[in-house]
């Protein structure tokens, strides 16, 4: 393959990745079968927006998440870490309440390398 042809192929591939639709969800997902409509669930709480916006950062083997809750309902956030090595224990942190207009920090780590990290959400009172 000629260098110019490889460059054109790489450019097209990059354009597809950058311009394909991507839905970033900054709120908690609803349980299966729950559409979030008040008429279906029968209560107004399921129609209200919910869920703290969390930003997860991985630095080598350390994981830090900052979660900000802009909504009036408490969101219990938990940091989950999956380590790359089979002998390195994965961890699920404790649920931390993020109250209205509150930002919380979650920390964790692996001994060696982090494979993935994410935050889960649960409604609280």
């Amino acid at each position: 393959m000629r260098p110019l042809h490889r460059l054109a192929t790489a450019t097209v591939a990059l354009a597809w990745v950058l311009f394909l639709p991507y839905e970033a969800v900054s709120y908690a997902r609803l349980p299966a079968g729950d559409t979030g409509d008040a008429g279906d669930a029968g209560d107004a709480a399921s129609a209200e927006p919910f869920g703290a916006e969390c930003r997860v950062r991985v630095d080598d083997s350390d994981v830090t998440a900052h979660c900000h809750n802009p909504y009036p309902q408490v969101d219990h956030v938990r940091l989950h870490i999956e380590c790359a090595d089979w002998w390195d224990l994965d961890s699920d942190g404790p649920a931390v309440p993020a109250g209205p207009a509150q930002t919380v920090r979650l920390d964790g780590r692996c001994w060696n390398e982090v494979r993935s990290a994410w935050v889960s959400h649960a409604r609280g009172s």
Side-chain angles (χ1 to χ4, degrees):
M1 204 185 281
R2 292 174 293 185
L4 186 59
H5 188 257
R6 274 189 244 153
L7 178 63
T9 304
T11 303
V12 169
L14 181 61
W16 274 105
V17 170
L18 292 177
F19 295 109
L20 285 176
Y22 175 74
E23 181 182 343
V25 178
S26 64
Y27 50 86
R29 296 180 186 205
L30 296 173
D34 188 357
T35 62
D37 294 335
D40 293 343
D43 62 338
S46 65
E48 294 177 6
F50 166 77
E53 179 183 344
C54 298
R55 299 187 188 274
V56 179
R57 181 177 177 169
V58 178
D59 290 318
D60 296 322
S61 62
D62 296 315
V63 179
T64 305
H66 290 90
C67 296
H68 176 73
N69 183 11
Y71 301 113
Q73 189 175 21
V74 176
D75 183 5
H76 291 275
V77 292
R78 293 178 65 163
L79 179 62
H80 305 275
I81 302 172
E82 184 178 322
C83 301
D85 297 317
W86 65 268
W87 50 264
D88 203 349
L89 297 177
D90 299 342
S91 64
D92 297 317
V96 176
Q102 184 179 20
T103 300
V104 296
R105 178 181 168 158
L106 309 169
D107 294 310
R109 64 167 300 151
C110 291
W111 281 103
N112 221 3
E113 184 179 347
V114 176
R115 176 174 293 144
S116 63
W118 67 95
V119 175
S120 64
H121 305 263
R123 290 184 187 269
S125 53

